[in-house]
Amino acid sequence: DQQVKQNSPSLSVQEGRISILNCDYTNSMFDYFLWYKKYPAEGPTFLISISSIKDKNEDGRFTVFLNKSAKHLSLHIVPSQPGDSAVYFCAASGEYGNKLVFGAGTILRVKS
Amino acid sequence: DTEVTQTPKHLVMGMTNKKSLKCEQHMGHRAMYWYKQKAKKPPELMFVYSYEKLSINESVPSRFSPECPNSSLLNLHLHALQPEDSALYLCASSQAPGDSYEQYFGPGTRLTVT
């Protein structure tokens, strides 16, 4: 039973264009959402988060949008850079205190 | 400084060995976590320590034994592991327990059980 789903296993984008990574969740008790970036053989790096009381949070090139009614969030990266190529995990918490539930990840490839 | 350090980076152990993984953070965080990540899968939570007390054990087999000696250190003691326990073991910490705090991850220990 996957409570956090990232339905696109991979995404390929041209350098300078926008990357949009999507995430859906099923548990309405989740109230905090995070995006992590992971390079091979390294731990996940925290990128950006959003609380359920907001619908948008921005940090530099990264913006996360939350649509609570659709139980959907997305990460926008503008402009995309080759160094952004990595696996991106969506994660959610709330029902189980500080337990993070991760999606399966999306591999982003930014082509130069 | 958002650094979590883990040692060793790589570990190969036999099924009869006893070994320990170590994790350290100096950010003053009061919650620490162990995750296990298999290839091409997301991290899966194993244990949570809140204010140095074990608060969550995700039904992890007893051959994995966590320990939190103080607020900066977290250990994972390993004994009689199976080959299927081979994985990347990640430590993380957050400012406090609770779901509105970001978790910061270490680089992980790549464990191979032979």
Side-chain angles (χ1 to χ4, degrees), chain A residues 65-81:
Chain A
F65 295 91
L66 175 63
N67 182 334
K68 278 185 65 178
S69 60
K71 294 192 176 70
H72 176 83
L73 62 154
S74 61
L75 174 68
H76 293 210
I77 307 173
V78 183
S80 302
Q81 299 173 353

Side-chain angles (χ1 to χ4, degrees), chain B residues 34-53:
Chain B
W34 280 115
Y35 287 83
K36 174 180 177 178
Q37 186 176 22
K38 302 281 273 186
K40 300 190 191 310
K41 296 286 188 183
E44 292 183 354
L45 183 68
M46 299 174 71
F47 303 103
V48 181
Y49 272 83
S50 300
Y51 297 100
E52 296 141 62
K53 289 189 174 8

Side-chain angles (χ1 to χ4, degrees), chain B residues 43-105:
Chain B
E44 292 183 354
L45 183 68
M46 299 174 71
F47 303 103
V48 181
Y49 272 83
S50 300
Y51 297 100
E52 296 141 62
K53 289 189 174 8
L54 184 65
S55 60
I56 296 178
N57 176 341
E58 289 286 295
S59 302
V60 179
S62 59
R63 57 186 184 267
F64 295 91
S65 175
E67 178 197 20
C68 189
N70 60 55
S71 60
S72 300
L73 291 173
L74 186 66
N75 298 322
L76 186 63
H77 302 297
L78 314 172
H79 174 55
L81 294 193
Q82 304 296 312
E84 59 264 29
D85 296 321
S86 299
L88 181 67
Y89 287 83
L90 294 162
C91 174
S93 70
S94 63
Q95 185 177 335
D99 61 352
S100 299
Y101 296 99
E102 294 82 22
Q103 293 182 26
Y104 294 92
F105 285 81

